[in-house]
Amino acid sequence: MNRMIFAAMAAMAAPLQAAAQGIDETINTVIGTATGPFVSFIFAPFPGTTFPWIVGWLVVGATVFTFYFGFIQLKGFGHAIGLVKGDYSNPEDEGEVSHFQALATALSGTVGLGNIAGVAVAVSIGGPGATFWMILAGLLGMASKFTECTLGVKYRNEYPDGTVSGGPMYYLAKGMKERGYATLGRVLAVLFAIFCILGALGGGNMFQANQAHAQLVNITGGTNSFLDGNGWITGIVMAGIVFMVIVGGIKSIAQVTERLVPLMAVIYVGAGLIILAANYDMIGWAFGQIFAGAFTGLGVAGGLVGALIQGFRRAAFSNEAGVGSAAIAHSAVRTKEPVTEGYVSLLEPFIDTVVICTMTALVIIITGVLGSDPETGLYIWDAELGRIATEGGITGVELTSAAFGSSISWFPYVLAIAVVMFAFSTMISWSYYGLKAWTFLFGEGSASELTFKVLFCVFVVIGAAMSLGPVIDFSDAAIFAMAVVNITGLYFLMPIVKRELEKYNAKLASGQIVKVK
Amino acid sequence: MSDELYVVGYDGEHKRAIEHAAEQAARAGAALHIVHVIEWSPYRFLTPQELEERHKRRTEESTRAETEVIAPVLEEMKSRGITATGEIRYGNVVELLAEIAQKRRASAIIMGRSGGSSFGGRIFGSAAMGLAQVSPVPVTIVP
């Protein structure tokens, strides 16, 4: 029945399709050309190597924070859970933003397509070994998150009417001034805001719209779908809904999404666990592949370096540690101690990358959707596409969908709903991050805010219409550019975080701060 | 005058619960503690925009509850010669009323019944029903 409906719709859409394919191609070429130089700069390799400097930048940053704060991600893990559970919450703060809420909202901005589509991209290009580097990047990234979210709360703006605004723009400007680098701080804050707007339009918008569209095409008949090549249709529908929420202020849509997203995450993880449980005998083998691939490459072109680059790149894109975006969401929490939010935020890369991304990767590896040579056991490399061969040459969200679908036949439909929901909630979060950066640059006011919001909606359509390559490159480049500025500032500001941490730990030790539950 | 205390759950609408509590208190010489609970869960999901505005909204909500719900009732009790105190809380109405009654060693809880015939109330049970099940002290449900 469904097939007949789709066939009928496809027949009706056929004349449109020819014209629209032209629109899609034009958008692709224009954006691809316009963003090319920026993308090439961000992903430029270290001279004489193939290793992109930006990946090194993130890893070095996360490693420095890890050592500087004495492995806070391990030492502070238990305390972070206690804070989220409300063990230390002041009962007088009932009705204020709790640690749990700040974490959940920040997570709904990061858990999403990075976990579903990004992992598939990483594993298909970098091989299973990419997973190892992804996990390592997730663990190290916890320290970056700790640093930036503590600063986010410490230097937020609290307005007389009770609203708060925080994030790297504020801590870079205010914190650097405190350290005696007012001009540098101001420059960094402005640069961050510019890149944050680009990141909001790229990874927080176009990538999401693009992958949501890909999944919709996938379940409505693939290349026979009336949507195939007509990304602008998906784009206009999604842009319309986003418009209603961010411009029309229709809170009910946002609230429905915010409630459905955790449910989708639970269903997604649940399905992943079921597949892993059904193939429990292969989990050991899969981890073997991950470890072996991390250091040898298992015949995947690029070997160790390829796996490492892909792993780190996709982890950063998924959990956004060091990027600074989460500091914007976390800064609204009600707490007297900025460090508490730092503790809570370190759970974010753990949940996002160490748990959810690893699960996706295991499902992809175990279900055998990556083409391998039965004789040698090595993966078959598709040199033309530059990744491991898969049936139909798929990657991204379609590959994850195929992996889940090979065990649970109807799951691609559920995944399609999840993808659209995740995409939508990420867009809502990023529209807010982008808006905060926009108002930091251009001032608050309804005309200025409306300009950004309309621009944001236009980019939804552009994102859905473009092919994956240019979108993914531009998204990554914009988000990594945020990290360049943010981490530079974090190096200057980390002594302030350390002081906060020592002060807080002393209060904990002396019993000044005690559990209330 | 006894040192008895009745906790009254007041949602701002069911004035009959207050009426009943006042009559009972006058008869027994008991004092009233009127509690207005604003439904809230620290685990509810909020959008970033809502996070930003939460403190402002909360201040508005508490002020409104104070001036429009609690203050008029306390005024009225005072004019009738009944000792009464008020409290505004955020959270789950059932849990909070039971907790407050226990802490203050109240001898009873009095509350109104809302939406007795509503479909949702029949399936999931109302706050009054919930309270009847968990309360540490006798509960009077005023229709």
Side-chain angles (χ1 to χ4, degrees):
Chain A
M1 181 64 194
N2 276 349
R3 261 168 217 274
M4 282 169 67
I5 295 171
F6 288 135
M9 286 169 101
M12 283 188 287
L16 275 174
Q17 200 153 341
Q21 227 136 27
I23 300 176
D24 280 10
E25 270 168 32
T26 314
I27 293 177
N28 237 340
T29 322
V30 172
I31 301 280
T33 319
T35 58
F38 174 61
V39 173
S40 327
F41 167 69
I42 291 289
F43 293 117
F46 282 120
T49 64
T50 53
F51 195 87
W53 68 276
I54 187 71
V55 173
W57 173 259
L58 283 165
V59 179
V60 170
T63 313
V64 168
F65 302 133
T66 300
F67 281 101
Y68 188 72
F69 294 109
F71 290 87
I72 188 81
Q73 54 269 70
L74 302 178
K75 285 200 304 201
F77 196 84
H79 188 60
I81 305 254
L83 285 164
V84 173
K85 275 166 56 199
D87 290 355
Y88 297 88
S89 301
N90 185 345
E92 279 173 25
D93 288 341
E94 282 170 355
E96 299 280 7
V97 176
S98 65
H99 283 300
F100 177 88
Q101 281 164 326
L103 176 69
T105 304
L107 264 176
S108 82
T110 64
V111 173
L113 290 172
N115 307 67
I116 301 176
V119 174
V121 172
V123 176
S124 64
I125 301 177
T131 315
F132 174 86
W133 300 107
M134 205 163 59
I135 296 172
L136 185 66
L139 290 171
L140 290 172
M142 291 164 79
S144 310
K145 273 267 178 163
F146 168 82
T147 318
E148 61 192 19
C149 290
T150 303
L151 290 166
V153 176
K154 185 167 168 62
Y155 291 106
R156 63 186 168 186
N157 273 7
E158 291 184 63
Y159 300 103
D161 71 351
T163 54
V164 287
S165 269
M169 302 79 82
Y170 298 94
Y171 64 68
L172 289 170
K174 289 172 23 181
M176 294 288 278
K177 192 175 169 193
E178 211 177 286
R179 298 272 292 146
Y181 304 101
T183 316
L184 177 62
R186 187 75 201 155
V187 171
L188 289 178
V190 168
L191 277 177
F192 179 85
I194 294 171
F195 293 137
C196 182
I197 293 167
L198 292 177
L201 297 175
N205 179 340
M206 290 164 62
F207 176 72
Q208 310 296 327
N210 186 282
Q211 289 292 280
H213 171 68
Q215 182 62 5
L216 287 175
V217 169
N218 194 15
I219 59 153
T220 51
T223 47
N224 297 322
S225 166
F226 70 102
L227 283 172
D228 188 41
N230 288 325
W232 60 277
I233 298 179
T234 316
I236 285 175
V237 173
M238 288 195 87
I241 303 172
V242 171
F243 186 87
M244 281 195 275
V245 174
I246 65 173
V247 181
I250 302 180
K251 286 207 167 142
S252 51
I253 300 176
Q255 280 167 348
V256 166
T257 315
E258 297 296 311
R259 279 170 187 60
L260 281 175
V261 163
L263 180 70
M264 287 292 161
V266 169
I267 292 175
Y268 181 73
V269 173
L273 290 178
I274 290 170
I275 294 174
L276 295 184
N279 298 289
Y280 70 94
D281 53 332
M282 287 174 79
I283 295 178
W285 168 81
F287 272 110
Q289 293 276 299
I290 289 173
F291 284 113
F295 300 102
T296 64
L298 292 174
V300 175
L304 189 159
V305 178
L308 187 143
I309 293 171
Q310 282 305 320
F312 277 122
R313 187 170 157 175
R314 306 275 31 115
F317 189 67
S318 168
N319 65 40
E320 297 167 17
V323 170
S325 50
I328 304 175
H330 280 282
S331 62
V333 74
R334 197 77 192 159
T335 178
K336 291 189 182 77
E337 300 288 342
V339 167
T340 55
E341 201 52 31
Y343 272 115
V344 168
S345 70
L346 62 77
L347 295 174
E348 221 185 293
F350 183 81
I351 298 170
D352 181 282
T353 308
V354 180
V355 177
I356 305 185
C357 285
T358 307
M359 199 204 68
T360 304
L362 284 175
V363 170
I364 292 176
I365 297 165
I366 285 177
T367 51
V369 284
L370 297 172
S372 62
D373 189 326
E375 279 178 27
T376 59
L378 293 176
Y379 289 100
I380 303 165
W381 187 253
D382 187 330
E384 200 181 317
L385 294 172
R387 56 177 185 251
I388 295 171
T390 52
E391 202 178 322
I394 52 173
T395 182
V397 69
E398 296 158 79
L399 182 62
T400 311
S401 183
F404 276 83
S406 69
S407 286
I408 307 172
S409 62
W410 46 265
F411 199 75
Y413 296 98
V414 179
L415 193 67
I417 299 170
V419 163
V420 174
M421 286 289 165
F422 283 145
F424 188 68
S425 78
T426 306
M427 280 185 200
I428 299 294
S429 294
W430 273 91
S431 75
Y432 176 80
Y433 300 157
L435 181 67
K436 286 283 122 184
W438 182 272
T439 54
F440 180 81
L441 288 179
F442 303 112
E444 280 158 24
S446 50
S448 156
E449 290 181 14
L450 186 67
T451 311
F452 174 77
K453 288 171 177 174
V454 170
L455 191 70
F456 193 84
C457 293
V458 171
F459 271 80
V460 177
V461 183
I462 299 177
M466 283 170 79
S467 68
L468 186 60
V471 176
I472 218 168
D473 287 342
F474 173 66
S475 307
D476 285 6
I479 283 180
F480 286 137
M482 289 165 71
V484 173
V485 180
N486 186 44
I487 292 179
T488 305
L490 293 184
Y491 285 137
F492 283 96
L493 300 173
M494 62 188 193
I496 297 177
V497 178
K498 187 142 202 181
R499 228 168 29 233
E500 289 285 331
L501 177 64
E502 282 164 358
K503 217 169 66 188
Y504 179 76
N505 284 345
K507 281 186 192 170
L508 267 184
S510 69
Q512 222 177 321
I513 293 172
V514 285
K515 276 192 184 188
V516 291
K517 272 194 205 164
Chain B
M1 171 134 180
S2 73
D3 55 358
E4 259 195 295
L5 176 79
Y6 303 154
V7 165
V8 188
Y10 181 43
D11 59 2
E13 284 172 25
H14 290 78
K15 203 63 201 299
R16 288 172 62 170
I18 296 283
E19 271 309 315
H20 181 79
E23 280 166 25
Q24 297 292 318
R27 203 172 297 154
L32 296 181
H33 184 62
I34 297 159
V35 182
H36 177 65
V37 178
I38 300 173
E39 270 298 326
W40 175 258
S41 162
Y43 302 108
R44 223 183 87 186
F45 277 84
L46 301 174
T47 61
Q49 188 73 40
E50 287 173 305
L51 288 189
E52 173 185 325
E53 293 168 358
R54 186 62 219 153
H55 183 63
K56 180 183 165 192
R57 296 260 171 275
R58 183 183 185 268
T59 315
E60 288 168 359
E61 286 164 3
S62 321
T63 316
R64 200 184 312 128
E66 181 60 44
T67 55
E68 291 174 22
V69 180
I70 294 292
V73 174
L74 292 185
E75 192 77 12
E76 191 192 326
M77 294 301 119
K78 199 177 160 192
S79 67
R80 289 166 67 169
I82 297 164
T83 314
T85 47
E87 185 175 358
I88 296 162
R89 293 289 295 270
Y90 274 83
N92 178 281
V93 62
V94 171
E95 285 169 17
L96 285 173
L97 286 178
E99 180 195 308
I100 293 167
Q102 184 134 39
K103 259 192 197 153
R104 294 188 166 248
R105 299 175 184 277
S107 47
I109 301 177
I110 299 165
M111 77 177 295
R113 186 181 68 190
S114 58
S117 62
S118 82
F119 182 69
R122 284 191 189 184
I123 292 188
F124 301 111
S126 61
M129 295 284 277
L131 187 66
Q133 287 181 333
V134 302
S135 173
V137 294
V139 179
T140 307
I141 297 166
V142 183

